[in-house]
Amino acid sequence: MAEAALRAPRAGAAAAPLLAVNNLEAWYGESHVLHGITFDVAPGEVVTLLGRNGAGKTTTLRSIIGIMGKRTGSVTFDGAETIRMPSRSIARLGVGYVPEERGIFASLSVYENLTLPPIVKPGGLSVDQIYELFPNLRERSGSQGTKLSGGEQQMLAIGRILRTGAKLLLLDEPTEGLAPVIVQQIGRTIERLKGEGFTIILVEQNFRFAQTVANRHYVVEQGKVVDMIPNEVLDQNIDKLHRYLGV
Amino acid sequence: MITIFGVPSAALFGQLLLGLINGSFYAILSLGLAVIFGLLNIINFTHGALYMMGAFVAWMLLNYLGIGYWWALLLAPLAVGFVGMLIERNYIAPLSFTNQRQSFVLIGASALGFLLLFYGLRIGPTAAFAGAAAIGVAAASVYAWKRPSQTSTVHVDHLYGLLLTFGLALIIQGLFRNEYGVSGLPYSIPSQLSGGQQIRIFDAPIMFMPNYRGWVIVASLVVCMATWFIIEKTKLGAYLRAATENPTLVGAFGVNVPLMITLTYGFGVALAAFAGVLAAPIYSVNPNMGADLIIVVFAVVVIGGMGSILGSIITGFALGLVEGLTKVFYPEASSTVIFVIMVLVLLVKPAGLFGRAS
């Protein structure tokens, strides 16, 4: 596949990518997990990384935020090369990360969890706006973070990075293991965030869900991006996608 | 004379008071250990040596610079806290670095410094050793500032930290022993706190309470409660608790976790130094004072539960009292009672009374 096909469609001069990942490789200790990931994301876009278990989707997000032990290649965010930065500096450029395991702190209350990530850029949501988005969190603000239900924990994990002013959100399987009604609520939230201009990278197993929110889909296989499917033509490519995902 | 359970009240309350004093030191020291263990995941064996260093800094301030007790109470923890931060940056943090270049700079500069000071300038062995360590740390700090090392994401077994800090503790103690001997140096009670009160109930004298001992109990209670408040109730404490659970994620939110770890270690050992200054007028200032105390404090930490803040405070005071009571009613067991309790607690609740099993 030609390199150019993996790029965002450039509609005029305006769409310089917010995030450009070039030939990214990463290792867990001795094991080589990413073998040259290349893709980019335009400002305000929602893209998904689809792929089988172990394809390297989560590792790609971890590499973008900088919490992999060893990584090479190039990751530029907002014009800045981040490959040699520690994760705290990458976060301070305006990248918000929601890990797959959600990372809610047991020794902190819901409110403390929500206000923990420091504000890195102006323009983030206020605590009240986050409570409006996720009313459950307001009711339970005094509870211990890990006493929340799985869905509420996911809302908390997303909510707390909306406060920081991050422009790029990395969401790792936000719908995993959640009831359909909660998945819908998360879907509506992502729609709304997209409407407010957030740029989102979504790792998903569930492409039916991904289809409802994303502009484009990147297919990851064995540590490489092997295909890019715009959301408009997802239905025509459904057989191809089934082959990729092995379902 | 009033007797309680066949024991004269003065003896009973006297021992309880002594127990509370010991408990104050157990509480402050185990609190520092708990804070350090929580965030750094190492058992800090230098704690006793730095407690001793706190007492010595107070003694040095008085005898070399004429600075008295009250200033020492502030300056000694600051000085020892700074030494602690250097220890953390140059000895403990490199345990989890991806490469050991900074350590080679440290070792090389220390060795060259020793040769220069001892053979070149003919400075005495203790001073030359301390000077060489300072030169090594300075060189490594400059190097680390120019070329910061990467911390490995691979978990380092805390046995290494324990062994390293144990070695450092022996070195620090040895240096002070070389220079000041083991007979102990006097440090007098500040004049504002000399004397004492006869405590009476219904006009009957119960016990005599020296003012300084009352001050030690109050000061350590205040410091323990303030530390607990900072950790459990403030934003700063929330960062600390979160980083204790998941330092990688807290870093991924934009927080400078390595700096936080260094400051936390500095704070933990500053607590030890504060206890050392409090102890200076009660016990004599002696290079072995930390080594004697720290074994008991480790037992206290194990009983309370590794890393539990409130647990270490409560257990510290409580075990001091238990020890005092044992001295009255069964003196033969007074020096082993804490260890008997430790064994029993480990058998029944291995994570400690206040610890969370992981």
Side-chain angles (χ1 to χ4, degrees):
Chain A
M1 160 149 289
E3 284 285 293
L6 296 176
R7 298 280 167 200
R10 305 272 155 100
L18 182 68
L19 180 86
V21 177
N22 260 307
N23 203 21
L24 175 68
E25 303 194 29
W27 288 259
Y28 280 112
E30 293 298 302
S31 94
H32 194 169
V33 192
L34 299 187
H35 300 268
I37 294 266
T38 299
F39 71 100
D40 53 25
V41 186
E45 235 189 341
V46 175
V47 306
T48 63
L49 302 179
L50 300 173
R52 297 179 202 194
N53 273 334
K57 308 180 299 287
T58 292
T59 309
T60 304
L61 289 196
R62 290 172 60 93
S63 301
I64 293 170
I65 192 66
I67 56 178
M68 289 298 292
K70 185 181 172 197
R71 60 208 174 107
T72 63
S74 159
V75 179
T76 51
F77 174 71
D78 215 359
E81 176 57 65
T82 64
I83 197 76
R84 297 188 65 81
M85 286 185 185
S87 62
R88 61 174 182 274
S89 309
I90 299 172
R92 295 216 163 256
L93 295 175
V95 183
Y97 173 55
V98 178
E100 187 175 5
E101 70 283 2
R102 296 170 192 140
I104 301 304
F105 297 101
S107 53
L108 274 63
S109 70
V110 169
Y111 180 80
E112 284 177 319
N113 265 289
L114 192 57
T115 54
L116 183 82
I119 290 177
V120 294
K121 297 273 173 187
L125 272 59
S126 68
V127 172
D128 273 335
Q129 284 171 312
I130 296 169
Y131 281 156
E132 236 167 81
L133 214 51
F134 303 116
N136 298 31
L137 298 184
R138 189 200 299 270
E139 290 160 30
R140 310 214 45 188
S141 67
S143 317
Q144 186 190 340
T146 45
K147 290 273 159 67
L148 297 182
S149 71
E152 288 168 331
Q153 288 194 25
Q154 190 63 59
M155 294 171 196
L156 180 54
I158 296 174
R160 70 179 167 192
I161 55 164
L162 301 179
R163 227 186 102 258
T164 64
K167 291 198 289 279
L168 173 67
L169 311 182
L170 310 175
L171 309 185
D172 198 346
E173 304 218 20
T175 63
E176 193 188 17
L178 300 181
V181 57
I182 310 279
V183 172
Q184 280 172 18
Q185 193 183 352
I186 301 229
R188 281 197 302 274
T189 306
I190 293 175
E191 272 306 318
R192 189 165 155 195
L193 295 174
K194 190 177 166 186
E196 291 182 19
F198 284 97
T199 308
I200 299 173
I201 303 180
L202 193 64
V203 162
E204 264 301 337
Q205 302 265 10
N206 176 356
F207 71 87
R208 293 291 175 204
F209 171 75
Q211 193 177 11
T212 62
V213 292
N215 299 97
R216 292 185 296 131
H217 309 275
Y218 285 105
V219 181
V220 183
E221 208 165 67
Q222 294 180 342
K224 281 184 172 168
V225 172
V226 293
D227 205 349
M228 191 277 283
I229 306 172
N231 200 44
E232 309 86 75
V233 295
L234 189 71
D235 283 330
Q236 291 96 296
N237 288 284
I238 212 81
D239 290 334
K240 192 165 72 168
L241 197 58
H242 277 290
R243 270 200 309 283
Y244 282 133
L245 300 180
V247 288
Chain B
M1 177 180 284
I2 300 169
T3 62
I4 297 170
F5 300 126
V7 178
S9 74
L12 177 64
F13 287 104
Q15 286 300 340
L16 279 182
L17 177 65
L18 207 60
L20 215 47
I21 300 270
N22 284 334
S24 304
F25 294 120
Y26 298 160
I28 303 186
L29 288 171
S30 62
L31 176 61
L33 282 176
V35 171
I36 290 172
F37 182 80
L39 192 55
L40 282 81
N41 211 11
I42 67 156
I43 299 160
N44 182 35
F45 251 94
T46 56
H47 220 68
L50 295 171
Y51 157 84
M52 175 271 289
M53 195 190 267
F56 264 97
V57 170
W59 184 89
M60 290 172 184
L61 284 172
L62 184 67
N63 287 280
Y64 300 154
L65 300 172
I67 295 172
Y69 176 84
W70 298 103
W71 278 107
L73 215 46
L74 177 71
L75 294 176
L78 285 178
V80 174
F82 181 69
V83 170
M85 282 158 65
L86 291 177
I87 289 178
E88 198 281 328
R89 272 294 90 199
N90 293 286
Y91 294 92
I92 297 172
L95 286 178
S96 48
F97 283 171
T98 48
N99 66 63
Q100 307 307 126
R101 287 192 311 254
Q102 188 188 323
S103 300
F104 291 129
V105 173
L106 176 78
I107 296 166
S110 301
L112 286 176
F114 187 75
L115 291 177
L116 175 76
L117 294 175
F118 188 64
Y119 293 104
L121 302 176
R122 307 258 165 222
I123 291 172
T126 311
F129 193 95
I135 290 171
V137 164
S141 301
V142 170
Y143 181 82
W145 179 53
K146 291 278 182 208
R147 296 188 62 177
S149 298
Q150 289 240 315
T151 303
S152 157
T153 47
V154 182
H155 182 70
V156 185
D157 195 313
H158 40 235
L159 187 62
Y160 295 101
L162 184 149
L163 291 173
L164 180 99
T165 52
F166 185 53
L168 288 176
L170 293 180
I171 293 172
I172 294 169
Q173 268 169 36
L175 283 174
F176 279 91
R177 208 157 36 220
N178 264 0
E179 195 63 26
Y180 296 99
V182 289
S183 53
L185 304 165
Y187 190 93
S188 54
I189 292 173
S191 57
Q192 297 91 332
L193 292 174
S194 57
Q197 316 290 330
Q198 187 62 251
I199 293 178
R200 297 162 190 275
I201 295 179
F202 302 124
D203 286 337
I206 300 291
M207 63 178 293
F208 182 75
M209 165 93 145
N211 287 342
Y212 187 78
R213 307 210 159 192
W215 155 250
V216 167
I217 295 168
V218 172
S220 46
L221 266 176
V222 167
V223 165
C224 286
M225 283 302 133
T227 306
W228 173 83
F229 182 83
I230 291 171
I231 292 173
E232 296 295 336
K233 300 289 166 197
T234 67
K235 180 84 196 198
L236 190 69
Y239 282 130
L240 201 83
R241 278 175 282 142
T244 297
E245 276 185 55
N246 189 344
T248 310
L249 186 57
V250 174
F253 288 150
V255 176
N256 190 341
V257 176
L259 177 67
M260 221 166 94
I261 288 177
T262 305
L263 292 174
T264 303
Y265 189 84
F267 176 75
V269 303
L271 281 179
F274 182 81
V277 182
L278 282 182
I282 297 184
Y283 314 115
S284 69
V285 178
N286 186 313
N288 293 335
M289 64 194 279
D292 299 341
L293 188 59
I294 203 68
I295 302 296
V296 181
V297 172
F298 275 113
V300 172
V301 169
V302 171
I303 294 167
M306 283 286 183
S308 164
I309 302 298
L310 200 57
S312 61
I313 299 174
I314 294 171
T315 335
F317 281 103
L319 287 176
L321 284 175
V322 168
E323 207 181 29
L325 283 177
T326 314
K327 272 188 193 130
V328 179
F329 293 106
Y330 194 66
E332 296 85 344
S334 62
S335 59
T336 49
V337 63
I338 286 184
F339 300 99
V340 172
I341 294 175
M342 180 183 87
V343 169
L344 294 178
V345 167
L346 282 177
L347 286 174
V348 178
K349 209 163 176 295
L353 294 178
F354 296 85
R356 275 191 295 265
S358 55

